[in-house]
Amino acid sequence: VDFYHEAIVESKVGLVDLITSKFPSVDIPFSNFVNMCPRLQPRYYTISSSSSVSPNTVSITVSVLDEKMVGGGRFKGVCSNHLANLKRNGSARIFIRPSTFRLPQDTTRPIILIGPGTGIAPMRALLHERAYQKNVLGKEIGKNVLYFGCKKRNVDYLYSNEIEAFKNDGIISDLHLAFSRERRQKVYVQYLLAKNKEEVCDLVLNQGAYIYVCGATAMGQEVRDTLTVVFATYGNMGPAGAREFVGQLQSDRRLVQELWA
């Protein structure tokens, strides 16, 4: 498994590379090669806009994959580069499926948003919706706590102007930022969650907060593990009780995760 990961996955070797450079002695009819190729799968992107604020627009947040390969050449993501190369008023085949992210019906409930990198997409949509609830519908809204992380503030702090404006307008109650490459000691959103353990416990245990997580699978698991430790230690639940509580949060849709590998 380690050899495969290093020689194929990390080196970004595709089927064509296998038979043209890695194993050039392979002799296979082209029709057979085409038949063995898997069909291109759809790419799913979380919507980053609110239908209340922008009823005629659907926004997505895409990281364009374009990396240099070890053996030369470029490794480009099929869908992200297709979207990036679309001309104005161009077209793409898309479909929309229901989102798992739903704001609490009780608008006074706090929400904790954890979305590093392009995981900020649904958090942006939820913040726009909360602002709409408050400013247009005149509803009272609960705290909106945002955890966002990226490498450097001046490189990939996505939607920074909007986020800072939401903070200044009071839509974002607490803003926690983790710029992992700006210090010798790397900082990630799960570290900030652990640091703010008292606030997290109070929001979830006492105020009924909802937690939304979007991003890489590894990050999502680490966030879940961090929450379990926080509830076990500072929520006085113990490890077993905390694991059961986090599972119940998911069952009750108070902990919602959209993750990708």
Side-chain angles (χ1 to χ4, degrees):
V1 175
D2 291 339
F3 172 77
Y4 175 81
H5 189 78
E6 179 180 347
I8 303 299
V9 179
E10 289 188 356
S11 298
K12 300 177 175 60
V13 175
L15 287 174
V16 174
D17 301 312
L18 280 176
I19 64 175
T20 57
S21 59
K22 294 291 184 180
F23 304 101
S25 61
V26 172
D27 185 10
I28 179 174
F30 181 71
S31 59
N32 290 8
F33 171 74
V34 171
N35 286 332
M36 66 177 276
C37 292
R39 290 189 176 185
L40 189 64
Q41 298 298 307
R43 270 54 168 179
Y44 296 103
Y45 296 99
T46 306
I47 293 174
S48 57
S49 55
S50 161
S51 58
S52 299
V53 177
S54 305
N56 299 317
T57 302
V58 173
S59 299
I60 57 175
T61 305
V62 181
S63 175
V64 180
L65 179 58
D66 186 353
E67 300 176 352
K68 185 177 181 180
M69 296 175 66
V70 176
R74 310 292 301 181
F75 180 79
K76 294 187 175 184
V78 175
C79 188
S80 63
N81 279 272
H82 173 70
L83 293 174
N85 291 326
L86 283 176
K87 298 186 183 300
R88 187 176 181 86
N89 296 324
S91 63
R93 295 180 63 183
I94 67 169
F95 62 93
I96 296 177
R97 62 178 184 175
S99 172
T100 57
F101 282 11
R102 290 284 186 274
L103 284 172
Q105 290 186 341
D106 181 357
T107 61
T108 63
R109 288 285 190 98
I111 59 175
I112 301 174
L113 311 174
I114 306 167
T118 54
I120 189 64
M123 313 313 169
R124 176 181 184 256
L126 294 177
L127 288 169
H128 274 284
E129 186 66 21
R130 290 282 258 197
Y132 179 84
Q133 290 175 342
K134 177 183 178 181
N135 299 329
V136 179
L137 301 182
K139 294 185 176 181
E140 179 184 355
I141 62 171
K143 279 189 172 183
N144 302 311
V145 180
L146 175 62
Y147 286 83
F148 174 77
C150 61
K151 292 181 179 179
K152 294 184 178 181
R153 181 188 295 268
N154 62 347
V155 175
D156 47 2
Y157 183 5
L158 305 178
Y159 302 113
S160 58
N161 292 338
E162 286 189 21
I163 291 173
E164 298 296 338
F166 278 138
K167 181 67 174 67
N168 294 334
D169 293 342
I171 299 300
I172 293 179
S173 312
D174 297 290
L175 176 60
H176 304 289
L177 301 172
F179 300 112
S180 61
R181 299 298 189 274
E182 290 190 352
R183 300 180 182 180
R184 180 174 300 178
Q185 183 69 35
K186 293 181 180 179
V187 179
Y188 299 105
V189 289
Q190 55 269 31
Y191 298 174
L192 298 183
L193 274 175
K195 180 181 178 181
N196 299 323
K197 49 192 176 293
E198 292 90 353
E199 177 193 44
V200 172
C201 279
D202 178 57
L203 288 171
V204 177
L205 302 181
N206 301 325
Q207 301 183 45
Y210 283 57
I211 306 170
Y212 303 89
V213 186
C214 186
T217 302
M219 179 279 302
Q221 184 58 53
E222 290 186 18
V223 165
R224 183 188 174 97
D225 292 343
T226 299
L227 290 172
T228 302
V229 171
V230 167
F231 295 141
T233 307
Y234 299 95
N236 299 316
M237 297 181 183
R243 286 193 295 271
E244 182 179 354
F245 178 69
V246 170
Q248 190 60 51
L249 286 177
Q250 285 192 300
S251 298
D252 296 340
R253 310 301 296 169
R254 285 182 55 201
L255 170 58
V256 184
Q257 293 183 301
E258 285 192 0
L259 308 173
W260 58 82

